Amino acid sequence: MKLSDVLFGAILCISAPVRGEWTVGQGVYTPSGLVLGSAASKLPSVSVYRGIPYAQPPIGELRFAAPLPFSGNTHLPFSDSPSIDGTKFGASCPVSSYFAGKPVTKGKGLSAAGLATLAQLTKGNNDTSEDCLTLNVWTKPQTGEEKKAVVIWVHGKGYTTGSSSDPVYDGQFIVNEQDIILVTFNYRMNIFGFPGSYLNTRNIGLLDQRLAVEWVRDNIAGFGGDPARITLIGDSAGAGLVDLYSFAYVDDPIISSMGLLSGTTSLSGWDPDSLPKAERDWNSVTCDICRMGTETDFAKVIACMRNKTTAEITAAIPITTNPYGSKSFFPNNDGKTVFSDYYELARTGKFIKVPLLIGNTDDETAYHRIMADVFAPSYGYGQTNYDNERRNYYTCPASERARHTADLGVPTWRYGYFGDFKDARLTTAAHGRAYHGSDVLLIFGTELVPGVKQDADELKLAKYARGAVAAFARNPKTGLKTYGWPQYNPKAKSLVQLGKDNKVGTFAVTPAAFDTGCLY
């Protein structure tokens, strides 16, 4: 063992927080360096550490490569190592066009929340960089448990865009109220995270997620966390990544529980790309910007792709006519981390068997329908197709995933979210239904439109929802049971109607009252 290793271990012990002796934003030693934090913007007793590198910058020879742990300055004594400014978020990873076309808002009845959502989708790439593999920690060690349960949250937005710095994922409210630690992180997306060539490392975004989880396991004690209680939760595409994780790392899970919100599961219609499709999309880009076909030696192709600018590569990503925008470069079947037979794997229990929290909103595709009408009103997708999409891609796969998990005796918790609050509606319609991602807004207590007053019932329900997530994280096996939630059973009243009529409570029904069978 090297002396530096001994010193590092000693310093971690010294820096491990003791309840009551914590100073907000104090420095925490990690392999990334001494991280200096700050007080949260609205709740100054919460410490936040932003932009902590967990991997080496994936640039140069590391573009389109598996992530490597951040090396920091391990050759220097910690007293001489530069500190990390944890007061600012790191850059977001490069994004591709999520929605195609030029938005037309006139006559669409968008509310202030709808316009804010639209602005998020069209904000561009100004804050992005390929040097983006960083994570953020919200913590409050001076009160509550000395070793706190940890939630790692995986952001969504279709594997093509999104960021851990999105204001939606501001962890200060749930950390202040619920005595847990929240971690968010960036992962590579689109062609940078899921390149299609069978000659290259694929599903890199999933490998990024794994390295972030390992970093949390190895370092969260210094922030007051319990590495034995790590819950991995994602929303939308983030839920998809969490579910992929559960099948990829069965032999070394690290996590103690998992959550899929607005759940895109591995059993859904959002199937992993087949190798031929992934290869076609990759070849389309390399042919466009490198003028190299499939007959070209791959070493020359990858060398060319590593010498192109980020802008050149993102501009070459194919955009489909689908109003959802770029559907290229999703997770693809490599037979190592992503597979083609998830129904069989789920049926035979070949996934990480830890407690599962899984939920959907009342009308998942309302979000897609409203935004598609702004971007591509002539596309003519039709309400029937949206209804089938909601059924095939969300409610049915989530219920199947819950059933397979519960059948193996693994504690499972399922909800539908019904909240309909005026400040969060995307249109000015008198009544809307809970749409894709609106449960995430509720749990974090964040506003789509800063300064717009939230409904009193919404605030009560949000606090209740945060309490439910925290109860699950602290004790995944029984925490929600003691919180009043029934454990999932397809034949009993066990699906919680969260926010039914905007009220606080469980309001459990039999799953069949909400779930519907798949059409495929």
Side-chain angles (χ1 to χ4, degrees):
M1 181 178 290
K2 296 181 295 185
L3 178 60
S4 60
D5 293 334
V6 176
L7 290 174
F8 175 65
I11 291 172
L12 276 185
C13 289
I14 292 170
S15 66
V18 178
R19 187 171 60 178
E21 297 180 6
W22 180 269
T23 301
V24 172
Q26 72 177 45
V28 178
Y29 285 103
T30 75
S32 303
L34 176 64
V35 184
L36 304 174
S38 62
S41 59
K42 296 181 179 179
L43 297 165
S45 62
V46 174
S47 298
V48 56
Y49 299 82
R50 304 177 179 93
I52 307 172
Y54 69 86
Q56 295 180 34
I59 57 178
E61 292 300 308
L62 292 182
R63 178 191 271 175
F64 305 124
L68 296 177
F70 187 83
S71 56
N73 296 278
T74 55
H75 63 287
L76 295 174
F78 273 99
S79 58
D80 297 331
S81 298
S83 59
I84 294 171
D85 180 6
T87 63
K88 295 180 290 187
F89 285 113
S92 303
C93 292
V95 302
S96 61
S97 297
Y98 190 48
F99 283 81
K102 184 178 179 180
V104 178
T105 59
K106 186 176 181 180
K108 303 299 181 182
L110 291 182
S111 64
L115 291 171
T117 300
L118 180 62
Q120 276 284 317
L121 290 172
T122 56
K123 70 176 184 177
N125 301 15
N126 295 333
D127 66 342
T128 65
S129 166
E130 287 187 63
D131 182 2
C132 62
L133 298 183
T134 60
L135 53 77
N136 318 293
V137 180
W138 284 264
T139 184
K140 190 179 177 183
Q142 65 270 32
T143 61
E145 291 187 279
E146 293 186 42
K147 296 174 66 176
K148 302 180 189 301
V150 182
V151 171
I152 305 175
W153 198 284
V154 190
H155 75 75
K157 286 196 167 60
Y159 304 110
T160 61
T161 184
S163 173
S164 66
S165 61
D166 189 320
V168 166
Y169 304 109
D170 188 338
Q172 62 181 306
F173 302 104
I174 190 168
V175 165
N176 183 64
E177 290 177 2
Q178 301 299 333
D179 195 32
I180 63 171
I181 290 176
L182 184 91
V183 179
T184 62
F185 67 96
N186 290 335
Y187 57 89
R188 283 171 284 180
M189 303 168 289
N190 52 74
I191 192 172
F192 299 100
F194 304 97
S197 175
Y198 73 95
L199 294 169
N200 195 60
T201 302
R202 291 181 280 153
N203 301 307
I204 293 168
L206 180 58
L207 302 182
D208 291 343
Q209 175 183 224
R210 172 65 179 192
L211 188 57
V213 171
E214 291 175 351
W215 189 100
V216 171
R217 174 198 62 196
D218 296 340
N219 294 280
I220 204 63
F223 297 87
D226 183 354
R229 288 190 294 167
I230 296 176
T231 299
L232 187 63
I233 300 181
D235 65 277
S236 191
L241 271 184
V242 172
D243 205 33
L244 291 175
Y245 182 102
S246 75
F247 289 95
Y249 299 104
V250 176
D251 295 332
D252 185 19
I254 299 177
I255 61 174
S256 57
S257 56
M258 55 185 281
L260 312 176
L261 276 66
S262 277
T264 305
T265 81
S266 301
L267 309 183
S268 75
W270 301 111
D271 294 323
D273 280 348
S274 65
L275 179 57
K277 179 189 180 301
E279 190 76 18
R280 282 196 306 271
D281 290 336
W282 171 264
N283 290 337
S284 172
V285 174
T286 59
C287 182
D288 185 10
I289 64 177
C290 289
R291 299 295 185 262
M292 294 179 181
T294 55
E295 74 285 351
T296 307
D297 179 73
F298 182 73
K300 293 181 179 179
V301 174
I302 198 70
C304 172
M305 289 290 285
R306 284 172 173 160
N307 278 307
K308 295 298 180 180
T309 66
T310 307
E312 286 175 307
I313 294 173
T314 54
I317 294 175
I319 302 294
T320 71
T321 55
N322 188 300
Y324 299 164
S326 172
K327 299 201 73 172
S328 303
F329 305 111
F330 277 21
N332 51 83
N333 173 24
D334 62 3
K336 297 177 181 178
T337 55
V338 175
F339 310 100
S340 60
D341 54 349
Y342 282 107
Y343 269 98
E344 181 63 16
L345 292 175
R347 186 186 68 79
T348 55
K350 293 177 180 175
F351 52 81
I352 298 172
K353 297 178 185 65
V354 294
L356 171 68
L357 171 65
I358 184 166
N360 304 98
T361 64
D362 184 30
D363 187 3
E364 290 281 355
T365 54
Y367 169 90
H368 307 81
R369 185 176 66 248
I370 291 166
M371 291 299 130
D373 187 46
V374 171
F375 281 93
S378 62
Y379 186 69
Y381 196 53
Q383 184 60 47
T384 298
N385 286 325
Y386 282 115
D387 289 341
N388 291 341
E389 182 179 302
R390 179 177 69 249
R391 182 174 181 173
N392 286 345
Y393 293 163
Y394 297 102
T395 55
C396 166
S399 65
E400 287 284 301
R401 186 67 166 90
R403 180 173 63 82
H404 285 302
T405 306
D407 283 349
L408 293 170
V410 180
T412 305
W413 317 91
R414 174 122 175 82
Y415 74 87
Y417 175 56
F418 293 82
D420 172 37
F421 298 100
K422 187 175 181 181
D423 67 280
R425 292 177 189 162
L426 299 179
T427 69
T428 56
H431 179 77
R433 292 167 64 188
Y435 53 86
H436 185 67
S438 56
D439 49 347
V440 180
L441 289 169
L442 181 83
I443 289 167
F444 279 92
T446 46
E447 307 160 339
L448 274 174
V449 185
V452 173
K453 188 175 181 180
Q454 293 174 293
D455 186 282
D457 289 336
E458 182 179 9
L459 295 174
K460 292 177 184 176
L461 183 60
K463 189 169 184 177
Y464 173 84
R466 289 193 288 274
V469 169
F472 176 70
R474 285 193 296 267
N475 188 338
K477 292 182 179 180
T478 62
L480 279 172
K481 186 179 292 186
T482 58
Y483 203 74
W485 286 35
Q487 194 165 308
Y488 182 80
N489 179 341
K491 298 180 180 179
K493 290 185 176 181
S494 60
L495 187 145
V496 171
Q497 297 181 104
L498 184 63
K500 185 68 173 176
D501 299 322
N502 291 353
K503 295 179 181 178
V504 172
T506 54
F507 310 110
V509 296
T510 55
F514 180 74
D515 290 330
T516 51
C518 292
L519 297 177
Y520 56 86

